[in-house]
Amino acid sequence: MDDSQQPSFSHAEPVLSVHNVAETIKYWQDVLGFPNQWTWGDPPTHGGVSWHGAFVQFSHNPTLAATQHGHSMWIRVRNIELLYQIHQNNQAEITMPLSKQIYGLTEYVIKDNNGYYITFAAPTNYKKGRSEKLPDNVSILVKKPTVTQYRSLFEAVGWSNNATDEMLQKQLDFMQATVVAENSDNGDVIGCALLLGDGFSFYYVKDVMVHPDWQGKRVGTAIMQELTRWLDENATNKAMVALFSSEHLAPFYQQVHFAPTFGMMRIIDRDHQPMP
């Protein structure tokens, strides 16, 4: 089949079981701000709201609604700071404040009137306030950060890391190369990038981090440029270099010649093993 004969999707609409359809629609309009609504029945037994490309349906089923308490849904938005302010002003029950996440999204969570957790998310805008020149007091070096410096960067960017110092040291020692950005005024490590690999045909870039106080100052760009220089000098011809990134960071990595691709992955999760 050609593309014109392939199935095409416009959007997905979750259907939430609720105790009262009319009250739920009123909440989603008055508190969450969804402007459009429709209902079926009098009193309504089904209905929904929408806002741009987000559509949510509600079905009157008190028994099922009681068992669904605490379930969640995820909505991607633009201008998330403005929406967050609207929800604050409307006194929505915010269970997680607006914050940057490790996977490159800025998110916050609201608990609605039925107990559902609604996550609003947007790509973190790394370009905000970006300068055109690396500060004179920043040095880019091919060297390992200390465990303390490495852990400090994790904490500064809000990433979780429960590894012991011994585990972190083993990880640093295992790297093919590490690049750090140093504040030459005091020797503080303000950014880093790590490079795993087999030393021959495959390399993987991980933990590209810049302290929030130094973001938007071309520190991350300079780190990746130095890592690329190391690869150009040390990797074999035709070696593959990979990394994981959210889509909003694609332009950042494309400037050092990374390209979007496809693939599959698996996470080892011994707490939730699949059934045989």
Side-chain angles (χ1 to χ4, degrees):
M1 291 188 296
D2 60 32
D3 289 345
S4 65
Q5 296 176 305
Q6 295 289 341
S8 177
F9 301 93
S10 62
H11 61 268
E13 298 188 34
V15 180
L16 307 181
S17 296
V18 300
H19 296 279
N20 187 300
V21 172
E23 289 181 0
T24 299
I25 289 177
K26 179 175 174 56
Y27 170 87
W28 276 72
Q29 290 201 294
D30 295 349
V31 179
L32 299 188
F34 281 63
N36 307 309
Q37 62 90 17
W38 61 272
T39 60
W40 176 266
D42 185 18
T45 57
H46 206 90
V49 296
S50 65
W51 192 352
H52 298 298
F55 296 77
V56 186
Q57 296 185 31
F58 311 108
S59 179
H60 178 250
N61 190 329
T63 301
L64 186 57
T67 67
Q68 299 286 62
H69 184 83
H71 286 208
S72 63
M73 62 181 295
W74 191 91
I75 301 176
R76 185 166 181 152
V77 303
R78 293 187 178 95
N79 301 319
I80 194 169
E81 292 85 0
L82 176 59
L83 185 64
Y84 185 63
Q85 185 62 56
I86 291 172
H87 289 162
Q88 285 182 312
N89 293 342
N90 291 346
Q91 299 183 337
E93 185 180 349
I94 298 172
T95 61
M96 186 187 83
L98 187 69
S99 55
K100 295 179 181 180
Q101 305 302 319
I102 186 173
Y103 34 84
L105 294 173
T106 297
E107 298 179 342
Y108 67 96
V109 180
I110 284 176
K111 184 179 180 182
D112 84 343
N113 62 317
N114 288 283
Y116 291 102
Y117 289 91
I118 317 300
T119 298
F120 296 92
T124 301
N125 185 4
Y126 80 94
K127 291 184 177 179
K128 188 174 182 179
R130 187 175 69 175
S131 66
E132 296 300 323
K133 181 178 179 295
L134 185 71
D136 293 336
N137 60 338
V138 174
S139 300
I140 306 299
L141 307 166
V142 179
K143 60 178 290 189
K144 295 177 186 176
T146 66
V147 168
T148 299
Q149 292 167 336
Y150 185 44
R151 189 183 296 279
S152 178
L153 275 177
F154 263 90
E155 294 172 352
V157 299
W159 293 3
S160 60
N161 191 325
N162 298 321
T164 64
D165 286 354
E166 182 181 6
M167 293 168 65
L168 291 181
Q169 187 62 62
K170 287 182 178 179
Q171 180 176 227
L172 291 171
D173 291 341
F174 192 69
M175 295 297 129
Q176 288 287 323
T178 56
V179 176
V180 300
E182 282 189 358
N183 178 356
S184 55
D185 291 340
N186 54 22
D188 287 349
V189 171
I190 59 173
C192 77
L194 278 56
L195 185 69
L196 279 163
D198 60 8
F200 177 68
S201 62
F202 179 79
Y203 296 87
Y204 172 65
V205 180
K206 70 185 298 287
D207 296 349
V208 181
M209 299 182 286
V210 176
H211 192 287
D213 292 345
W214 292 86
Q215 291 176 8
K217 302 179 186 295
R218 298 197 66 80
V219 175
T221 297
I223 289 172
M224 287 304 301
Q225 287 173 338
E226 182 62 19
L227 193 63
T228 299
R229 184 199 62 77
W230 187 96
L231 284 162
D232 290 341
E233 292 183 359
N234 294 278
T236 58
N237 192 36
K238 305 299 183 181
M240 178 182 292
V241 185
L243 58 81
F244 287 114
S245 173
S246 55
E247 65 182 58
H248 79 286
L249 284 175
F252 171 77
Y253 290 109
Q254 284 171 339
Q255 68 182 334
V256 285
H257 310 301
F258 281 83
T261 184
F262 61 91
M264 300 178 69
M265 63 179 292
R266 179 190 177 205
I267 302 296
I268 303 300
D269 186 352
R270 293 186 174 88
D271 295 326
H272 301 89
Q273 286 292 337
M275 296 295 291

